[in-house]
Amino acid sequence: MRERSQHRASVITVINLKGGVGKTHASWLLAAVCEERKKRVLLVDADMQANLTSSFVEEGHREPGVEALFDPAQDADPNTLIRKSVFPQIDVIPANTRLARFDLADRHLWEKTELHLSLVEPVSSLRPSYDFILFDCPPRLSVVSFAALCASDYVVIPLEAADWGAQGIVQVTAAIEEVQRHYNPRLKLLGYLVSRFKRARAYQQSYLKQLRTHFGGLAFDTVVPDLARFEQSVTDRIPITLQAPRSEEADIARALFREVEARIKALAGQSSHRRKSNVRRSTVVAA
Ligand SMILES: Nc1ncnc2c1ncn2[C@@H]1O[C@H](COP(=O)(O)OP(=O)(O)OP(=O)(O)O)[C@@H](O)[C@H]1O
Ligand SMILES: [Mg+2]
């Protein structure tokens, strides 16, 4: 009990403008390792396609889901929206098509009503109960994606080893910078994650090389290959770490998780170093 109350979740948004690049699957892999390591994780499905929801929750569309947090008329308690999955460490706030009503694309409209700040309070209140809170975003930069960024500490951008100019990376990166500037200075980019990598294709190998040169340290070392066993695990709705714990695929999930943890630690170290040097600077000024 005591340990639970000391949790402060790391909050991560998984986002890209392009569809089908492995956003939901990245959330799946991280959740799979949380289950294995007994880390409490809350998956917030921010995509009305509800792919993540349907993997973990039966009849997720019937009850209120994430849309309730965007509805000013409801003033919903986020705890009432949480559904338990059959996996003890994995909880879900489901999505459904009712989210469409709130997922405005017109920025002027949502800024007027501050809809983009809808997730900030709910996330603060849920942080103590989890080790990780993950937002799985739709392939759009509408208000729900912005709201996830406004409430998060970190961002992961999955992309394919193909022309990244065509994957909306420029727009996503600009959106992150804008959120950092105006709404959430705490937000940090954890990195670009190459997903659905087709190892046998020469052009993907060559894009991977270019991508590493282009993004440098912001490219994850872990690459998630396109493998049938990953697809099987999603289809069977069993985390890969449980379905095939000794497989290469489970090891890839663990490597991704370790890298996420290490990147969070490194960024936290940088922030505390910056805070300390600010304190030192202000002490010198005061002296
Ligand atoms: N590494 C992988 N190996 C095999 N199949 C994968 C892998 N990653 C994702 N898939 C499968 O590819 C499909 C698309 O992946 P996913 O749903 O994660 O993409 P997405 O970016 O979330 O898509 P959307 O933009 O529609 O939300 C899914 O059926 C998923 O199970
Ligand atoms: Mg998805």
Side-chain angles (χ1 to χ4, degrees), residues 19-25 27 45 47 49-52 136-139:
V21 292
K23 298 180 290 296
T24 302
H25 190 243
S27 309
D45 195 341
D47 184 355
Q49 292 182 91
N51 291 335
L52 198 57
D136 179 31
C137 285

Side-chain angles (χ1 to χ4, degrees), residues 171-269:
Q171 292 93 318
V172 171
T173 309
I176 291 168
E177 284 168 5
E178 198 170 335
V179 168
Q180 286 167 328
R181 240 189 340 265
H182 296 294
Y183 308 118
N184 181 11
R186 210 181 51 240
L187 184 68
K188 295 191 180 72
L189 178 58
L190 275 191
Y192 298 89
L193 172 68
V194 173
S195 286
R196 309 199 67 190
F197 182 60
K198 288 145 191 98
R199 298 195 273 212
R201 305 231 175 120
Y203 81 92
Q204 290 230 335
Q205 305 269 7
S206 132
Y207 266 119
L208 179 60
K209 231 183 249 162
Q210 286 178 42
L211 201 132
R212 288 203 185 290
T213 310
H214 184 80
F215 291 116
L218 277 176
F220 271 81
D221 293 333
T222 311
V223 167
V224 183
D226 198 82
L227 297 172
R229 213 182 240 147
F230 280 134
E231 210 171 342
Q232 189 67 48
S233 141
V234 174
T235 307
D236 294 346
R237 306 206 247 165
I238 304 172
I240 192 73
T241 48
L242 303 188
Q243 188 173 52
R246 288 163 194 237
S247 62
E248 180 199 3
E249 289 82 348
D251 280 342
I252 291 166
R254 293 179 192 114
L256 172 61
F257 187 89
R258 277 196 304 275
E259 198 176 351
V260 164
E261 275 191 323
R263 283 172 178 259
I264 288 176
K265 205 167 160 195
L267 286 169

Side-chain angles (χ1 to χ4, degrees), residues 68-139:
L69 300 174
F70 288 90
D71 185 352
Q74 288 201 39
D75 196 20
D77 173 353
N79 286 289
T80 63
L81 306 174
I82 295 173
R83 305 279 166 264
K84 300 262 163 230
S85 75
V86 296
F87 307 104
Q89 308 304 329
I90 305 176
D91 289 352
V92 180
I93 294 188
N96 57 62
T97 48
R98 293 187 294 278
L99 185 58
R101 212 181 112 210
F102 302 99
D103 198 15
L104 306 176
D106 182 343
R107 189 154 178 174
H108 294 295
L109 280 183
W110 51 258
E111 276 192 332
K112 249 196 263 170
T113 49
E114 300 210 315
L115 219 49
H116 57 296
L117 301 178
S118 303
L119 299 171
V120 173
E121 289 264 312
V123 162
S124 310
S125 73
L126 295 171
R127 262 182 205 268
S129 309
Y130 293 96
D131 296 293
F132 291 93
I133 297 175
L134 304 180
F135 284 103
D136 179 31
C137 285

Side-chain angles (χ1 to χ4, degrees), residues 24-73:
T24 302
H25 190 243
S27 309
W28 245 101
L29 295 182
L30 294 174
V33 182
C34 284
E35 182 61 29
E36 181 177 65
R37 288 224 203 153
K38 302 210 172 355
K39 303 260 185 201
R40 302 268 301 130
V41 59
L42 175 65
L43 302 175
V44 186
D45 195 341
D47 184 355
M48 70 186 101
Q49 292 182 91
N51 291 335
L52 198 57
T53 301
S54 59
S55 291
F56 290 102
V57 182
E58 296 291 339
E59 307 274 333
H61 59 282
R62 289 200 183 279
E63 293 176 82
V66 71
E67 80 288 352
L69 300 174
F70 288 90
D71 185 352

Side-chain angles (χ1 to χ4, degrees), residues 119-164:
L119 299 171
V120 173
E121 289 264 312
V123 162
S124 310
S125 73
L126 295 171
R127 262 182 205 268
S129 309
Y130 293 96
D131 296 293
F132 291 93
I133 297 175
L134 304 180
F135 284 103
D136 179 31
C137 285
R140 276 186 305 285
L141 278 174
S142 44
V143 68
V144 175
S145 299
F146 263 84
L149 292 170
C150 287
S152 291
D153 307 315
Y154 305 106
V155 194
V156 172
I157 305 180
L159 75 174
E160 286 183 272
D163 179 6
W164 61 87

